Each structure stands twice: as C-alpha cells, then as structure tokens.
Amino acid sequence: MDPALIGTRLASSAISPLIRKLLVQEGPGAGLTERRVRLSGLVSFRGEKRTLTDRDVRKLATTLVGDALGGPGEPPFPRDEAEAVADALARTLLALGDLDMDDVQAVRLGHRALADRLRSAAGAQGDGLSADSALFLDSVTEWACLHILHFFTQRSTFVARSLVEQARGQAELIAKVDALIARTPRPFAQDAAFERRYHAYVAKKHGNLTIYGIDLHNSPDAWPLDVAYLSLEADAAERPAHDRFPAGLPADIRSAPAGPRPADQALAQQERVLLRGVAGSGKTTLVQWLAVSASRQDLDERMGYLRDRVPFVLPLRTLTRHGERLPAPDRFLAAVGCPLAPPAGWADRVLSAGRGLVLIDGIDEVPEPERDRTRRWLRDLLATYDGGNRWLVTSRPSAVRDDWLAPDGFTELTLSPMSRAEVTAFVRRWHTAAGPDAEAYEQPLLDALRTKQDLARLATNPLMCGLICALHRDRRGFLPRGRKALYDAALDMLLARRDRERDMGDPTGVDLAEAPQIRLIQRLAYWLTINGRTEMDRFRAETIVLDAIPAIPDAAAIGKPDAVFHHLLQRSGLLREPGPDAVDFVHRTFQDYLAAKAIVDDWHIGVLTGHAGDDQWEDVIRMAVAHARPRECAEIFTELLAAADRAPDRRAQLRILFVAAAALEHATELDPAIQRTLLDRTARLIPPRTPEEARELATVGPLVLDLLPGPDGLDDEQARMAVITATHITSDAALPYLARFTGHPSLNVRSQLIWAWSRFDTTSYAEEVVARLDQENLEFTVTSDGQVEELLRLDLRPSLLDIREEVSDELLPALLTDCAPTQLNLTRSGAAPDLRCLSSLTRLEWLNINVAPEASWSLGDLPAEAPLRFLGIPCSPEEGLHGLHRYPTLRSLSVDALTADDWNELARLPHLNSLSCEAEALSSCPSDLSFPRITLVHLALDAADPSWRRLTEMFPNVQSLSLHAFSPGPLDTSPLADLPCLKWVHALGVELTGTEHLSPTIRILT
C-alpha cells in the first residue's frame, strides 16, 4: 500500500503529533553545537534527553495501528493480526536510534531509503504476517519516515548544517577531481606540453640547410637556416587581377594588380597558395623556413603572422614512396618519420581550431597518374578543416595546369629567378659560411658573374649558385662552361676529390674510382625516374646496387658488396637517408642528370621519347641531349618531333616541342637540317596563347628571343604573351627585345614590363626598359630600395605607385615627395607603421593602405587637403572613421569592419556611391540609416551568415553587386529580387541558388 493511500486512513493532523513524540524537541544540546549530532542523540527514547521509554514507543505504534483499523471502509489487514503488526512497527521505529547518521544525511537519503535502513536495522519483522499485514507495515514505515524527515527540515540548525555539509562535499569533490587531473592531465594541457616538444623538434630538424660543396677542407656541410635563408620573390598570375572583374566595374574596387612579393609573405595575405618553382629554386628551403619560423617564440614582425601556428611538413616524395594512401591528420607525424607520439586527437584539434600550417612539398614528385588522387586527398582535408588554417603546396612549374587548385581557393604564385642583387647576396653569404679560406674567391666570382653571360644565366637559383660557388673555390677560380660541364665537375668534386683533399683516406674501407661509382649510382637514378619516384626503400636500393656490382669489375674486385653500397650512401655526397630505411638523392637535379646518363649509356631511346610529355622528364631529356653523341642527338630530336606529331592534344604537343627546343642549347653537335626543322615547328606556336604556354616557351632560354615577333603585327593579347615569355628569360639578352614594347598602347603589356623589374639587374633594367616606359595610366610597382634609387636617379616621377613593404622608411618619403602621386597603393609592415609621409600628398585621388590587422595608425596621417575619390583601408584606424567627412569628394570606400558610429560618418559623405566591406559589418548599421546614393557594393561574406540580407534595405538602389565568399556553402539570392535597380551580380567562389527568382535582365557572372 502506497504511503499516500495510508495517508487517507492516517491523516497528517493525527500522525504528525505521534511521530513528533519520537524526536527530541530543539533546545540546548539538541544539535546546536558545532559538532555533528547523530540520530541516536535526536530520538526521545535514548540519550540524556530521553522523554519516552520503549513501552511508550510501543504504545505509539499500537495507537497508529488502531487508528488505521478504525477508519472507514475495508480494514487494510486482518484485525486478528493487529497486535503482531503493532509489535513489528514498534521494533522498526525503535531502530531509528541505531542508525549511524545525522539529520542532514537522513534527509539526503529520502523517506523510502530511510525506511529501508530502519527495516534492515530492526531485522525481519514480517515473519508470520499475512501479505496484507506485511504490505501495511512497509507502507506505514515509509509514511512515518516521511514525517520524520519533515520534522528534520523544520529544525533551525538544518539549513546551516546542510550548507556546511554541501561545502564539505564540494571540497571533497574538488580534491578528488584535482587528484584525477593530476593522474590524467587535461587534453589541452597535454597538447600544450606536446607542442613545446614538437616545436623544438621541428626547429632542430629543419633548422639547417645543405649547401652543396661547402664541406670541402673541413668546412661545415650545413648552414644554420636563419643565416642561410635568402628571401626570394614570387610572382602572382600574369593576368592583372582586375581582368577577372566584368566590364563596368569601377577601378576603385578592383583588386590591386599582382606583382612580385616576398615568397615567405605569401601566406600572410592568402590562406591557400600553390607555389611553383623550377628545380633548385628554393621551394623546399621556403617550406623549411616557414616551418622553423612557426616553431619559434621570438618571431620578428615579418613572420609574426605565423605565431601560434603548428607546422605540418608533408614531403610528398616520402608519403608516396610505396604508393600507399596519403595519411589522415592523425598520421601526419608518423608518416614523415617524426619520433614524437602526439596525444590522441591532437592533430584534429589543431586543424579544427584553424591553427595549422600545412606545408605540402612536391606535387611534381608524385607520379602523374597519382596526382588526381593527391588532389582528392587535399580536397578532403580542406573540406574537413576549412577555417583559419594556412595551406602551401609546391610544385615544378609545368607539373600541373594553371587552374589545378583554383576551384579550391588557391592563389597561384611562381618563384622568381634570383636577381643580380640576390645572386650577389647569396655569393657573399656562401663565402662567409665557407670560412676565411674562401674569402679570396668571393670578388673574382662576383666579377665573373657580371661579365660572363653564360655563367650568369646558370646562376638563377640557390642550387646552381651553390654549385658554382663550390666549384669556383674548388678549382681555384676556374669554372667549366655550360650546365653539363658544371654537373660533371660537381660529380668529380663529390665522388673523387672531396675525401682525397680532406686527407680522409678510405673511411669506409672502400677505394672506388669515380666512373664505377657513377655507373652504380645511375642505376638508382634510372629506377627512380622510370618509376616516377624520388625516394625508395633502402632494401630496394641495396638490391639494385648489389645486382649491378658483378658487371663492374672495379666494384666486384673489392669483394664486399655491402661495403660498396654503404660507401656510396655515406661518402658519395649524392645519396642520403631522409628517413628510416629510405634512400634518395640530395637533390632531384642529380637524379635527373644521372638517369639521363643511364638512358644514353644503355640507349633506351624509346623510354626517353615515350615520356616526352611527362613534366618529370623535362630535365632528363635535356641532360640526355647533353650526354649524347652527334648521331644520338639527331635521333633523339627526330623521335621527339615524331612524338609531338602523335601528341593527343595541343598542350601535350606544346610541351614536347618546347622541351625539345630548350634542349637545343645542350647539344654539342647537331645536323643543321634537324635544328632548322625544330625551330620552324616551334616558331609556328609563337606567340603563345596563354601565360602557361608563355612560361613553358621561356624554358627554351635566350634562343627563343630570336623567334619572338613584335611588337608590329601583334594584337594586344599576343603582345602580352610575347612579353610574358621574354620577362621569364632572366638574361640581359632579353632587355633589347623588351625595350621595343615600352611605348605599347596596351596597359597590360606595359604593366607586365614594370612587374618584371625585380627579375633583372635593377640598374640595367631601369635604364633600358623602365626609363623608356610610357607612364600614361601605368602603375609602377616598387619592391626595393634599389628601385627607389633608380627612379630618383633617372628623375622618373610616376603618378601611380604601388609601393611594397620592402621599401624602407628612410627612402619612402623621398620617393613620395618627388613623385607627388595621384594614385598610391602602400604596403607597410609592423605594429606601428609610420604613415606621416602621406600628409604632404595634396594631389592624391586614390589611396589604398595595406597594414597588419593589429597595426596602430590614425586617419590624421592622411593628407587633409587631398581630393580623395577612393580610399581603401582594410585595417581600420584607431579612432574608426571619425573625421572621414572631411573628404567630401570621396566616391568609393573599401574597409573590412564598420561600427554604428562609422555608418553615421559614411552618411555624411555626399558623393559616396561605392562600398566594399565584410557582410558582417552590415549588422552594425543603425536601423534608421539607408544609403540610396550607393549603387555599387562589394561584400566579402560567410555564406552561412545572414547579415548580408540587410543590403536590400540599406542600399535600395544598388545596381552592381560583387560577392566574394571566404567559406564554402550555397547562397540564396532570392532576397535580391527586392532590388529594382540591380543590373548584374558577380560571384567569386560563391555557389548561388534562388537565381530563378531574379529578373531575367540581371546579368549573373561566376
């Protein structure tokens, strides 16, 4: 019987006084002391305050049982069992004094659990009773316990005691949790501890740079990266950025033209970059630099954007060594041989938080059939971790087409060849690192690089510069001519002369001449190349060498095949172990060179021409021509022309013909008829049709300058392609050809000429090209103090300037004062850029300021009297836009974030008709403001953020709308149907839905 049902027979007004008699009334000693009082001290039939005897308790039980039987209706149990039930109930109630707990603990138990404790303390009470009597006994016990607990909660000490108990319980819980945490550290604490170890590991692993040949005469064979690193420049796509926008979009909100920029700053401006560069151009060194920079605590201002980034260096040559699946994030470290074991889920947490720096090195080192699989792997990573992380992918220029990663939001950049200034800096650093013995060779080499064009043409990347420095010193100032001769000399230096000149004897116990070593090592190069790999298992490498030794008498005579392999691996200077049980060449260039030699030695001409369209074989084909004898050369070129005829498409045909044409310079002797045929075939493809074709054609070298037409007879686009080709031939021989285009009417052609300045010697290019340029509407991109000095020296005063952060604060004011520009795109670094030099530019009509997001600057730095029509300030000044109304001529504004006060300031601009901002900024606009004069809007948005919908009420007369998404997802355009004046929508990286609701007259461009 439920206690509630008992309550219908035993009213609370009757049972409560009876139960209350069981308990001591409040008073001194009844629980008011500081110490806890057990229940045995609270009952009235025990202890010093006893007011009832056992007999009295039994009488109370008899009264309760009698009251239950005396109620109306059917009795709850047989009347003849009344005495037995009363006796059992009395014994149960008496057990209350035996419970070892206090009132707070009893209340915490609840009435049912307390009743169970009483029954257990009283022992078996239902023996001999009928089922109804036993049920009544259980129910009346629970009913009594309910009243007992009610009495406890009414005691004046109960609340205070409960709070004390609660505090004690919390203290115990906290202590236990702390102990648990001590035994099992929190995930983020584990992560932080691991990241400290990981950063130290990355800094040590990637903190040195191998400089080929620098290990002669007891010099170190590795350079500290922070000393060795030379910041190179990268070019964006050749097409000006504003060409991506439809006609009619005012120049005010077009992106600034692309131009040279420091390669290590590429990820500061874009989250995703595909970086192209030829062999030895510094791609892997850049990856090392970024990884090490992210792992340092004391980052300088230039690299500050990498702070709190976690680098993942993923060389694809290693990850695809066995052709296995590319790793998921939880296997990134293990896949590249990192010995550290991260906490479970660490990589996922890093990438989910947007803290990752993912450096994927060497798309070109993945076999071509596997590149689509690699792209799918990358896309899966991007889809899973799409927010905040930085992604860099490197590749040789022609390994993948121009738009290979464009749909995934990647900006494509190409590492520029080293300028004369960069070559000079590299040579000086090399000789400093090589020690005092090398000092005497530094200046003679610099003089040779200035006077010998054939030598200067080779010194266009760090690898070749390092080899030239090493060989020049090794040969006491005498250098071989041509690329093949340089490689032959390098092999002689590494394989034969290095240990001999260092008096090392035979440290491996093997004395093997240069020629047998080359024969063995080129077997490895051939296997790697024919299988599309750049890394192999040590076991396979050892097997290849051991199988070849019996056919090479000098190697077989040693009688220790294992020792021969060990010698090649440890002492050749060409092979290395990049990880456990792995072997590769110290640089891909040596692999290509020796693979070509193996092909020519064994005359595998079919293998060579069969891969003529494969980008991984370009250097192999060139070096094969260099190795071949005249009759072999003729056959190679004849077969290449036939392969071009069989090519399945124009792109493959172009690649084969351009590779063949580029290989001409390596032919020692060639039938003039074959040479003329090849050049005639190549000339039919000139000028190229696309920037990609133009860059491929430039690989032919200065020879192609004789084939390039122009400017007469070329339309504007053909002229641009011809100039792109010539500006990628970084030789002074290109200057006379480029100078013919300095007065070209096409702005794109002249822009290409100014962007290429940093690829050539600053002074020569300034005198022969820059000084002759038609300046009308031409924006001059200035990337160095040397260029500033040349503009000042030549008294050139361009009115449109794009000044990059490499221009120093010392020369910037002089340039601005001298030019007094009307249009200025200014990039400054640092937390507090000095912009005071702008205050004197009273002719300025167009101004775009690029500073770091955390930079501190003020609108007061801007010229107060300037007739500004456009202002771009992605990073808002300290005081916001307060005071902007002093530029009443302002028509266009580009800014990221806006506050309510900023919107009110915009409302005071009488001619503002164009606005570019983040869509999120619309949410801060006061509801009573609208901008009917603004007809052109450019929004950067998150597709999931509804803020952009406010534009229909804020800009009711908008005619042109440009949308750029920084996160994926569809965008419903149906709200745009409320804009009666809308004429076109341009969407960049946005998937549009709901376009069926828009007027058919609206032009939609994606």
Side-chain angles (χ1 to χ4, degrees):
M1 184 178 296
D2 188 89
L5 195 56
I6 292 292
T8 62
R9 293 182 173 272
L10 298 174
S12 294
S13 59
I15 192 173
S16 181
L18 296 176
I19 295 300
R20 188 179 296 271
K21 291 181 180 181
L22 294 174
L23 303 167
V24 176
Q25 300 303 304
E26 279 192 300
L32 300 180
T33 58
E34 293 182 359
R35 61 186 181 86
R36 296 165 62 180
V37 179
R38 318 306 291 179
L39 287 189
S40 58
L42 295 175
V43 296
S44 60
F45 47 85
R46 295 182 62 173
E48 296 178 359
K49 302 297 180 182
R50 183 186 313 176
T51 58
L52 292 182
T53 64
D54 289 357
R55 182 176 179 181
D56 294 329
V57 172
R58 294 180 183 278
K59 184 183 292 185
L60 287 174
T62 301
T63 302
L64 287 174
V65 171
D67 288 346
L69 287 174
E74 181 182 355
F77 56 88
R79 293 181 183 276
D80 58 356
E81 296 186 5
E83 185 177 350
V85 170
D87 181 62
L89 178 58
R91 280 181 283 148
T92 302
L93 294 175
L94 287 170
L96 189 63
D98 297 326
L99 296 184
D100 186 22
M101 66 177 71
D102 58 26
D103 54 350
V104 175
Q105 294 171 329
V107 171
R108 188 182 301 147
L109 280 177
H111 69 279
R112 286 193 173 88
L114 181 61
D116 288 340
R117 292 286 188 92
L118 285 176
R119 285 190 287 265
S120 177
Q125 299 296 320
D127 294 345
L129 295 178
S130 66
D132 286 343
S133 296
L135 181 59
F136 174 82
L137 181 60
D138 289 342
S139 300
V140 78
T141 301
E142 291 184 13
W143 187 244
C145 287
L146 188 63
H147 282 269
I148 290 170
L149 297 184
H150 179 66
F151 171 80
F152 287 161
T153 60
Q154 292 178 316
R155 291 167 55 83
S156 61
T157 59
F158 180 78
V159 173
R161 189 180 299 281
S162 296
L163 291 175
V164 171
E165 290 294 324
Q166 186 178 23
R168 288 172 178 165
Q170 288 177 340
E172 292 177 3
L173 180 61
I174 290 172
K176 291 177 180 178
V177 170
D178 287 343
L180 180 62
I181 289 174
R183 291 195 298 268
T184 310
R186 292 161 289 180
F188 64 82
Q190 284 184 308
D191 289 357
F194 174 77
E195 285 175 23
R196 286 192 291 271
R197 296 181 62 209
Y198 178 63
H199 283 312
Y201 166 80
V202 170
K204 187 172 183 178
K205 177 178 174 61
H206 299 289
N208 291 299
L209 182 66
T210 300
I211 304 298
Y212 303 108
I214 203 173
D215 58 342
L216 296 176
H217 308 296
N218 297 311
S219 296
D221 59 359
W223 231 352
L225 189 61
D226 53 357
V227 176
Y229 179 71
L230 183 67
S231 179
L232 300 179
E233 290 191 331
D235 279 345
E238 305 297 341
R239 181 176 296 277
H242 64 253
D243 282 2
R244 297 194 302 267
F245 292 90
L249 181 63
D252 294 340
I253 69 163
R254 296 172 184 167
S255 299
R261 70 191 71 178
D264 57 15
Q265 294 298 297
L267 288 174
Q269 301 170 356
Q270 286 89 23
E271 289 188 356
R272 303 175 184 181
V273 172
L274 171 61
L275 183 70
R276 302 174 188 268
V278 299
S281 60
K283 300 186 297 295
T284 299
T285 302
L286 175 63
V287 166
Q288 288 182 242
W289 175 251
L290 293 174
V292 170
S293 296
S295 296
R296 288 176 172 165
Q297 299 298 319
D298 55 340
L299 286 176
D300 58 26
E301 291 183 352
R302 289 186 69 256
M303 306 305 294
Y305 73 94
L306 294 177
R307 188 169 284 105
D308 197 39
R309 295 278 170 188
V310 177
F312 297 96
V313 181
L314 304 175
L316 290 175
R317 64 190 298 169
T318 298
L319 302 182
T320 60
R321 186 170 75 230
H322 304 292
E324 64 267 45
R325 293 185 62 183
L326 290 162
D330 62 343
R331 293 193 60 252
F332 277 177
L333 302 193
V336 297
C338 176
L340 302 179
W346 168 76
D348 176 73
R349 289 191 291 276
V350 168
L351 294 172
S352 296
R355 297 173 51 231
L357 175 65
V358 186
L359 305 168
I360 302 173
D361 189 25
I363 285 288
D364 55 286
E365 296 178 346
V366 177
E368 193 164 13
E370 298 179 20
R371 287 179 193 162
D372 281 340
R373 177 171 66 92
T374 303
R375 180 167 55 178
R376 289 194 299 272
W377 166 74
L378 176 57
R379 283 177 170 171
D380 286 344
L381 291 174
L382 292 169
T384 306
Y385 307 105
D386 63 345
N389 297 299
R390 295 290 192 270
W391 306 79
L392 177 72
V393 179
T394 71
S395 173
R396 286 194 185 187
S398 57
V400 293
R401 65 178 184 271
D402 273 0
D403 59 347
W404 197 64
L405 289 176
D408 303 296
F410 277 78
T411 297
E412 297 197 3
L413 302 175
T414 300
L415 276 173
S416 303
M418 295 170 69
S419 66
R420 281 193 179 180
E422 290 167 339
V423 170
T424 299
F426 185 97
V427 171
R428 294 191 187 282
R429 291 187 184 189
W430 191 98
H431 286 83
T432 298
D437 291 345
E439 183 178 351
Y441 298 100
E442 179 182 307
Q443 194 57 47
L445 178 57
L446 290 174
D447 293 340
L449 289 168
R450 277 194 295 269
T451 58
K452 296 181 180 180
Q453 287 296 316
D454 58 334
L455 184 63
R457 282 173 49 205
L458 291 172
T460 58
N461 64 60
L463 171 67
M464 294 306 297
C465 273
L467 282 177
I468 288 171
C469 290
L471 290 170
H472 183 263
R473 175 194 173 194
D474 182 55
R475 296 185 165 217
R476 305 295 190 270
F478 295 95
L479 281 171
R481 300 184 61 180
R483 188 174 173 189
K484 177 181 181 297
L486 279 173
Y487 286 145
D488 286 339
L491 292 179
D492 175 63
M493 176 181 69
L494 294 171
L495 294 174
R497 299 177 58 190
R498 182 178 62 167
D499 285 350
R500 183 171 66 247
E501 294 192 10
R502 294 172 70 179
D503 297 325
M504 293 191 65
D506 300 323
T508 61
V510 172
D511 183 12
L512 196 58
E514 177 184 348
Q517 290 187 72
I518 290 177
R519 289 293 299 178
L520 291 171
I521 294 174
Q522 72 186 36
R523 296 290 183 94
L524 302 178
Y526 180 79
W527 187 94
L528 287 168
T529 302
I530 202 73
N531 287 280
R533 305 290 179 189
T534 56
E535 191 173 298
M536 64 199 307
D537 292 336
R538 177 180 174 132
F539 174 77
R540 187 180 298 278
E542 192 169 2
T543 300
I544 291 171
V545 170
L546 297 184
D547 288 347
I549 284 176
I552 301 175
D554 286 355
I558 294 175
K560 299 178 180 178
D562 292 341
V564 171
F565 174 77
H566 179 73
H567 172 80
L568 296 178
L569 187 59
Q570 300 299 324
R571 302 305 312 158
S572 71
L574 294 174
L575 302 175
R576 65 173 184 171
E577 294 182 276
D581 300 320
V583 173
D584 68 356
F585 281 81
V586 292
H587 200 279
R588 172 72 178 272
T589 296
F590 292 117
Q591 176 186 321
D592 292 344
Y593 178 84
L594 290 173
K597 187 176 186 306
I599 289 170
V600 172
D601 285 351
D602 298 332
W603 199 235
H604 291 168
I605 181 66
V607 172
L608 189 73
T609 57
H611 289 85
D614 188 340
D615 62 89
Q616 288 191 334
W617 284 69
E618 291 177 6
D619 281 348
V620 178
I621 292 171
R622 294 174 188 176
M623 290 297 96
V625 170
H627 286 295
R629 294 169 295 187
R631 186 170 59 184
E632 294 166 339
C633 265
E635 186 173 347
I636 289 174
F637 283 113
T638 300
E639 290 296 323
L640 287 174
L641 288 171
D645 291 335
R646 296 191 302 269
D649 52 50
R650 173 181 169 84
R651 186 173 184 271
Q653 183 185 52
L654 286 173
R655 172 176 288 180
I656 295 171
L657 288 175
F658 290 162
V659 169
L664 276 177
E665 66 173 317
H666 301 291
T668 305
E669 180 181 336
L670 183 63
D671 184 342
I674 295 177
Q675 181 175 349
R676 186 70 260 163
T677 299
L678 177 57
L679 292 177
D680 287 345
R681 289 284 302 278
T682 305
R684 296 173 199 166
L685 306 173
I686 296 173
R689 297 181 183 178
T690 66
E692 181 186 16
E693 290 183 9
R695 289 193 294 269
E696 287 194 23
L697 181 59
T699 61
V700 174
L703 183 65
V704 80
L705 293 170
D706 295 331
L707 305 176
L708 287 174
D712 297 335
L714 300 180
D715 62 29
D716 289 352
E717 186 63 10
Q718 289 174 330
R720 192 170 76 90
M721 293 302 112
V723 168
I724 288 175
T725 302
T727 53
H728 279 78
I729 301 171
T730 51
S731 164
D732 286 350
L735 298 185
Y737 176 80
L738 294 172
R740 289 151 52 183
F741 291 83
T742 53
H744 200 281
S746 170
L747 178 60
N748 283 343
V749 171
R750 287 181 283 125
S751 295
Q752 181 65 37
L753 290 173
I754 199 66
W755 295 340
W757 190 357
S758 61
R759 299 177 189 164
F760 297 86
D761 176 69
T762 303
T763 300
S764 300
Y765 197 87
E767 293 174 346
E768 298 190 41
V769 178
V770 177
R772 303 180 186 181
L773 277 170
D774 179 0
Q775 295 186 19
E776 184 179 1
N777 296 325
L778 177 62
E779 183 177 60
F780 276 58
T781 301
V782 185
T783 62
S784 69
D785 281 359
Q787 292 180 354
V788 173
E789 291 168 350
E790 289 304 315
L791 290 175
L792 297 175
R793 181 179 69 85
L794 296 172
D795 199 25
L796 297 176
R797 295 184 174 89
S799 59
L800 283 67
L801 286 173
D802 177 10
I803 302 176
R804 301 301 172 91
E805 62 181 314
E806 292 74 30
V807 175
S808 68
D809 288 338
E810 290 72 26
L811 286 181
L812 177 61
L815 177 63
L816 293 177
T817 301
D818 201 57
C819 295
T822 59
Q823 177 174 317
L824 175 62
N825 186 50
L826 180 64
T827 302
R828 297 282 87 188
S829 61
D834 186 358
L835 303 180
R836 291 173 295 176
C837 54
L838 299 177
S839 60
S840 62
L841 304 181
T842 57
R843 300 174 59 229
L844 205 56
E845 300 177 4
W846 193 103
L847 175 61
N848 189 63
I849 301 175
N850 294 303
V851 294
E854 67 278 5
S856 173
W857 67 285
S858 171
L859 276 181
D861 296 328
L862 306 188
E865 305 300 327
L868 283 180
R869 294 185 300 106
F870 168 79
L871 179 61
I873 45 174
C875 174
S876 297
E878 288 182 323
E879 72 274 28
L881 300 185
H882 178 69
L884 191 63
H885 65 275
R886 73 183 184 210
Y887 300 105
T889 57
L890 198 64
R891 300 176 60 85
S892 295
L893 177 69
S894 177
V895 63
D896 283 350
L898 290 163
T899 66
D901 289 340
D902 293 338
W903 285 109
N904 285 312
E905 189 73 15
L906 297 190
R908 302 176 64 181
L909 297 172
H911 300 292
L912 188 68
N913 62 13
S914 172
L915 178 65
S916 174
C917 66
E918 291 185 356
E920 185 180 358
L922 303 186
S923 62
S924 64
C925 181
S927 58
D928 58 343
L929 275 186
S930 67
F931 299 84
R933 287 189 298 271
I934 292 183
T935 59
L936 192 151
V937 175
H938 178 213
L939 294 180
L941 51 84
D942 181 341
D945 187 349
S947 301
W948 74 277
R949 294 172 179 265
R950 287 204 63 192
L951 73 89
T952 58
E953 62 187 68
M954 293 174 58
F955 313 111
N957 297 324
V958 65
Q959 299 177 13
S960 303
L961 177 62
S962 180
L963 303 171
H964 175 244
F966 49 78
S967 66
L971 188 71
D972 180 16
T973 61
S974 56
L976 301 181
D978 295 333
L979 295 172
C981 302
L982 189 62
K983 294 180 180 178
W984 63 263
V985 176
H986 176 230
L988 182 63
V990 187
E991 177 190 349
L992 300 182
T993 63
T995 54
E996 67 276 7
H997 300 291
L998 304 184
S999 169
T1001 61
I1002 296 176
R1003 186 182 177 194
I1004 299 177
L1005 302 172
T1006 57

